[in-house]
Amino acid sequence: MRYLTADIGSTYTKVTAIDADAEEILGTSAAFTTIETDVMEGLSEALSGLRASMGAGKGEEWKYDRFLCCSSAAGGLKMVASGLVPVLTSKAARMAASSAGAKVVKTYSYEISPSEAKEIESINPDLILLCGGTDGGNKDAILKNAEILSRVPGHFSLIVAGNKTAAKEIEVLLKESGKPFVITDNVMPSFNELNIAPAKKCITRLFIERIIEAKGLSKAQAMAYGEIIPTPLAVLGACELLSKGYHEEEGLGELMAVDLGGATTDVYSMTKGEPTAGNIVQRGLPEPFSKRTVEGDLGMRYSLSALADELDLYGEAVREGLTEEALRDWIERCVSKPSLRAETEEEEKCEMILARGAVRLATDRHSGQMKSVYTPMGQLFTLTGKDLTGVQKVLGIGGALIHSKETKEILKGVLYDPMRYEFAKPKDPGFLLDRRYIMASMGLLSSYEPLAALRIMKKSLATL
């Protein structure tokens, strides 16, 4: 069985030819995504490059049995969430959105105020996740918030995932308003119990519908075997397969992955993340084994000035033998021309400093956080989130890592720093690199040929 896969991203379109029976990658290629005109133009260019890499002439066709596709070309869904308790609402919303192509830009708690309703209107979200109350518990707040949101101007969709006893009243209310909505299972049916899969499925469905509206993607969908899925969902599936293995074929065990892109930095962790020391007490909601966070303000071609300011990367540049002016100049040129690549030694060093900073900050946000507390029994630590200190493998994904001469140095941004002990990051991991852009492709393949996908990843990922 031969597969052709395509990952149509915001910046690049990547294609991969796979022989699943031989468990081999036959060729890969990439071209700039042409979202402004028709994504099929970029896909066609990538396919021409693929034919060339496989030794085929311009007019020759490589025969495949199935075409599989994922995309993030239309950008992530802009999402806000409303619920009862601040910490629980925010956590449940972010976890539900994590792999479904959505970015949570704001969360609201308790009853939405008139000023907050105005703010939601100004945000102009694509999606609102309305939750609140355990099943059979308080339903007044979610009913009131549904009424308020039904009157907020905008073209957003509503996903209702709260107290099931309020579902019928909310359905009647939203039908009268004319807002598009779907009611699904409660994200927190009982206290401290998460049930995010149904809401995640609804978000994924909305994302698919939205990206199909992008220019040309309907043509790609017509070619595809099965639905186009969000790229983050494909990468998450590949990471989970690589970690857990498949039947008798062992995986790599607990791991992290960092996908360093032009607009975002995504971090994945495949681990239970339970405390690794006896003096650490877990707090907050339980974490899923497979977790993704997306940092929309951390990318290698957007928001670079904010990144450099937040981490004082100008000072870091000086310590690396550069000048502040050199780094500022490189940032300005990258922002004005996102396709720019480092060519000189100075530019490569600037790129490394920025990339390492993005990795450091993104993994700070993804990892669990420790706090020191003193008790009659002595000093203890509380952990909110995952303890990642024992993770043994870190996988680098993305062009900024693939094209760098300092890939390992960039990935050191994931490491635990004793001076910043509050971030429970890996202490002594080995580093891998997705040198051929195959993780999204393997995520697509894993739905049909999981054993082949696992074996291809294990032999194709480069050890640093």
Side-chain angles (χ1 to χ4, degrees):
M1 182 75 74
R2 290 187 166 192
Y3 291 83
L4 173 65
T5 67
D7 171 15
I8 303 174
S10 297
T11 308
Y12 284 97
T13 292
K14 284 84 69 176
V15 294
T16 305
I18 306 160
D19 186 330
D21 295 332
E23 298 173 353
E24 289 182 356
I25 293 176
L26 303 177
T28 62
S29 182
F32 279 108
T33 299
T34 48
I35 188 67
E36 296 83 5
T37 54
D38 185 330
V39 297
M40 295 301 289
E41 295 173 12
L43 178 59
S44 177
E45 186 177 342
L47 290 174
S48 294
L50 178 65
R51 285 193 292 269
S53 73
M54 296 169 64
K58 185 175 181 180
E60 295 181 53
E61 289 292 334
W62 178 73
K63 301 296 183 182
Y64 58 86
D65 299 292
R66 291 177 178 174
F67 172 62
L68 310 177
C69 185
C70 61
S71 178
S72 56
L77 294 173
K78 190 162 54 172
M79 173 174 152
V80 301
S82 169
L84 280 178
V85 183
V87 173
L88 301 184
T89 298
S90 175
K91 183 96 175 226
R94 291 181 189 280
M95 290 169 67
S98 63
S99 65
K103 293 182 285 189
V104 180
V105 295
K106 188 78 175 182
T107 58
Y108 299 91
S109 302
Y110 312 115
E111 188 176 308
I112 296 170
S113 67
S115 63
E116 289 173 334
K118 282 288 185 185
E119 185 178 43
I120 292 172
E121 181 182 353
S122 67
I123 290 172
N124 190 27
D126 300 299
L127 167 66
I128 295 179
L129 177 65
L130 177 59
C131 47
T134 56
D135 286 340
N138 180 289
K139 68 176 186 177
D140 294 338
I142 191 171
L143 283 170
K144 183 63 177 177
N145 286 339
E147 179 187 349
I148 292 167
L149 292 171
S150 73
R151 299 195 304 267
V152 173
H155 299 288
F156 55 83
S157 299
L158 279 152
I159 293 177
V160 183
N163 186 346
K164 68 180 182 181
T165 59
K168 190 62 182 177
E169 293 171 76
I170 292 174
E171 180 181 3
V172 172
L173 180 68
L174 294 179
K175 277 184 177 178
E176 291 176 354
S177 74
K179 295 283 187 189
F181 71 95
V182 61
I183 295 177
T184 189
D185 295 347
N186 196 344
V187 294
M188 191 174 293
S190 59
F191 184 73
N192 242 24
E193 177 193 346
L194 283 180
N195 178 38
I196 62 174
K200 182 184 289 188
K201 187 175 181 180
C202 292
I203 297 168
T204 300
R205 165 60 54 190
L206 185 62
F207 180 84
I208 291 169
E209 291 172 358
R210 185 61 54 87
I211 63 174
I212 295 302
E213 293 174 5
K215 295 176 181 177
L217 270 170
S218 57
K219 300 172 191 172
Q221 178 63 82
M223 293 169 53
Y225 183 87
E227 287 185 317
I228 294 177
I229 66 171
T231 299
L233 185 60
V235 175
L236 186 72
C239 288
E240 187 168 354
L241 177 64
L242 182 63
S243 170
K244 291 182 175 180
Y246 183 74
H247 293 316
E248 290 78 22
E249 185 74 22
E250 291 186 357
L252 300 185
E254 296 185 343
L255 61 83
M256 284 183 67
V258 181
D259 189 347
L260 186 57
T264 67
T265 299
D266 296 1
V267 183
Y268 302 80
S269 59
M270 307 294 122
T271 171
K272 292 181 179 178
E274 296 174 343
T276 54
N279 64 338
I280 301 174
V281 178
Q282 189 105 37
R283 291 186 59 194
L285 294 171
E287 295 274 341
F289 178 87
S290 304
K291 176 182 176 181
R292 169 188 176 252
T293 52
V294 54
E295 305 303 335
D297 62 334
L298 299 177
M300 288 305 295
R301 289 299 176 265
Y302 306 95
S303 306
L304 287 178
S305 294
L307 169 67
D309 289 338
E310 182 168 352
L311 295 181
D312 186 25
L313 296 183
Y314 301 109
E316 198 166 312
V318 171
R319 292 190 292 275
E320 292 280 354
L322 299 174
T323 64
E324 287 190 29
E325 291 72 22
L327 185 59
R328 290 185 192 278
D329 175 67
W330 177 246
I331 289 172
E332 289 176 7
R333 286 192 286 144
C334 287
V335 171
S336 62
K337 187 180 179 183
S339 61
L340 190 64
R341 287 188 181 178
E343 295 181 354
T344 68
E345 184 177 340
E346 181 178 80
E347 290 171 349
E348 288 171 354
K349 188 164 284 189
C350 287
E351 193 82 336
M352 182 274 290
I353 291 168
L354 291 166
R356 185 173 59 194
V359 169
R360 183 164 74 239
L361 189 52
T363 51
D364 281 355
R365 295 173 181 176
H366 181 93
S367 68
Q369 297 199 15
M370 303 273 199
K371 285 188 178 179
S372 174
V373 293
Y374 289 90
T375 73
M377 303 297 292
Q379 185 184 26
L380 295 175
F381 295 89
T382 62
L383 170 70
T384 303
K386 286 187 175 185
D387 184 347
L388 302 174
T389 54
V391 168
Q392 294 297 303
K393 299 288 184 184
V394 174
L395 170 63
I397 306 169
L401 291 165
I402 293 170
H403 299 299
S404 175
K405 296 177 181 177
E406 300 284 350
T407 303
K408 192 170 183 178
E409 189 63 33
I410 293 171
L411 286 174
K412 286 181 180 179
V414 309
L415 295 178
Y416 174 83
D417 181 353
M419 301 301 292
R420 301 165 66 247
Y421 74 90
E422 63 269 26
F423 299 107
K425 297 165 68 169
K427 289 188 173 180
D428 188 30
F431 293 115
L432 301 170
L433 179 64
D434 177 17
R435 199 179 295 279
R436 301 183 72 184
Y437 289 109
I438 67 167
M439 289 303 287
S441 174
M442 292 301 102
L444 289 167
L445 184 64
S446 68
S447 295
Y448 306 95
E449 307 274 359
L451 185 59
L454 175 58
R455 288 176 173 170
I456 290 171
M457 284 190 285
K458 287 174 68 174
K459 67 184 179 183
S460 298
L461 299 176
T463 301
L464 301 178

